[in-house]
Amino acid sequence: MKENSKNRVTVQDRTEPLQNNIPSVTAILLTALILVFSCAFFLSEKRTFSESENRYLSSFPEFSFEDLKDGTYTEEIQTYLADHFPLRDLFMGLKAETEIALGKREINGIYIADDGYLIEAYKKPKNTDKIVGNFKKFYEAVDREKVSVSLMLVPTASVIYRDKLPAFAQERDQMAERETIYERSGLPRADCYEALMAAKDQQQLYYRTDHHWTSYGAYEAYRAYCGQAGIEPLTLDSFEKKEVTHDFKGTIYSKLNDGQIGADTITIFENPSNQLTVFYTDTDQTTDSLYNFDYLEKKDKYSMFLDNIHPLIEITNETADSQRELVLIKDSYANAMVPFLVNHFKKVYVFDTRYYKQGPSSFIKDHPQVTDVLLLYNMNTIDTDLGIGGIY
């Protein structure tokens, strides 16, 4: 008997309906995911600050036809959506872990360097002329016959630890930019490059997960400044050493948020002979310590140095080895150097000119007892430091 071809059912016939349904199932799943994340985005509470990234998140932009026309509004919308995307921290960490596992040594401008270091690539500067001009104006506004002025431009880890970077790293010439600022500004230099290079294999001079230098790096720079200022520096043995945390994950870690990356130790040095009075002028608070250890319970542990950000801090040391008074105009790098500087100045005035609006040059004129001025900025953030516009 012949088989009836009309009743024959092949394997291909049975699988065709399933294959035809695959696209629709995929579409349904994708649609569901989009709806879930959209609902999560609109219903979730919008944070103003990211603890893990240690930065303020963007707010929803105000609409204007001008911003819409030039594309600014859509860019700000995109930034807002990216900053408040649900589970942002989780996805950032998964992305970084995947890329590192695949062997990538550079992620979003951060080099995965040897010995566990995360080192930011040096970015091409855009504001050199403005920086030089502001330094010149400040120098011209100060009575240089009465006050000794010095400028310290701190090289970053990408210079001092160049040998730890991947072989393909194309670092821009940070040292040439430093030299340009030094020469064109005309300020006397208190250069710490040679001191840092000489000590780079003896101590950990920069944090592995943060852009700041460690207390050891700050100490080497302090010794370099003392040599320029005619001061006899104290040895490290003169200080009490304390490791205050072994769980510091800094600003560079926050840009990757990879939980597999190790943490740093923060070490501080205190001179038990000092009798300090630390006055924060903006909060009207007085303490006898250069550290706020409450920050050790937070993500931003480096802010324990000088209690993070203040426009002006007045530090008096009754046991200083001179009657000299120092004005320190600085970025956050200098916070770790202050514990060494206070040993040699009866008073240290610490300015953060992003927030101090009266101008340090006017302050110096009104305080004739000031004998020394140190401007200290690191090359990683100097190009975008808004405070330099208010130093005079």
Side-chain angles (χ1 to χ4, degrees), residues 289-302:
S289 175
L290 299 170
Y291 308 101
N292 181 350
F293 295 111
D294 290 344
Y295 278 99
L296 297 179
E297 305 301 320
K298 303 178 181 180
K299 171 69 170 60
D300 185 18
K301 292 177 172 54
Y302 184 85

Side-chain angles (χ1 to χ4, degrees), residues 109-141:
I110 298 171
Y111 294 119
I112 314 301
D114 293 342
D115 300 327
Y117 280 87
L118 304 177
I119 298 179
E120 285 186 292
Y122 179 65
K123 297 178 182 178
K124 183 179 180 180
K126 299 178 181 179
N127 299 303
T128 302
D129 290 340
K130 291 181 180 179
I131 292 169
V132 168
N134 288 322
F135 282 158
K136 279 185 174 181
K137 289 177 182 177
F138 173 81
Y139 198 37
E140 291 168 357

Side-chain angles (χ1 to χ4, degrees), residues 79-239:
T79 301
Y80 175 78
L81 293 175
D83 274 3
H84 299 279
F85 189 81
L87 303 177
R88 171 185 169 83
D89 294 345
L90 173 63
F91 284 114
M92 283 178 59
L94 290 174
K95 177 178 180 292
E97 286 184 24
T98 302
E99 291 182 327
I100 293 174
L102 291 174
K104 289 197 69 173
R105 298 289 302 278
E106 189 272 326
I107 302 173
N108 298 329
I110 298 171
Y111 294 119
I112 314 301
D114 293 342
D115 300 327
Y117 280 87
L118 304 177
I119 298 179
E120 285 186 292
Y122 179 65
K123 297 178 182 178
K124 183 179 180 180
K126 299 178 181 179
N127 299 303
T128 302
D129 290 340
K130 291 181 180 179
I131 292 169
V132 168
N134 288 322
F135 282 158
K136 279 185 174 181
K137 289 177 182 177
F138 173 81
Y139 198 37
E140 291 168 357
V142 175
D143 188 345
R144 285 168 278 172
E145 293 184 359
K146 297 180 180 179
V147 180
S148 175
V149 181
S150 299
L151 171 64
M152 178 177 286
L153 299 176
V154 182
T156 65
S158 65
V159 168
I160 303 303
Y161 289 149
R162 179 66 183 86
D163 57 331
K164 298 184 185 297
L165 295 178
F168 65 83
Q170 298 294 321
E171 275 299 90
R172 302 182 189 278
D173 197 349
Q174 182 183 138
M175 296 299 288
E177 179 67 13
R178 273 185 2 124
E179 192 63 27
T180 296
I181 297 174
Y182 273 136
E183 288 188 356
R184 289 180 55 192
S185 68
L187 272 73
R189 65 182 71 188
D191 196 14
C192 61
Y193 169 73
E194 294 294 343
L196 291 171
M197 286 298 293
K200 74 184 187 72
D201 296 323
Q202 301 169 16
Q203 301 287 353
Q204 183 184 342
L205 304 182
Y206 295 83
Y207 294 109
R208 290 182 173 86
T209 66
D210 192 75
H211 73 281
H212 291 101
W213 56 14
T214 65
S215 294
Y216 289 106
Y219 174 75
E220 295 301 329
Y222 148 78
R223 289 178 63 246
Y225 173 70
C226 287
Q228 184 272 340
I231 296 171
E232 183 65 31
L234 299 179
T235 64
L236 275 181
D237 294 338
S238 305
F239 300 89

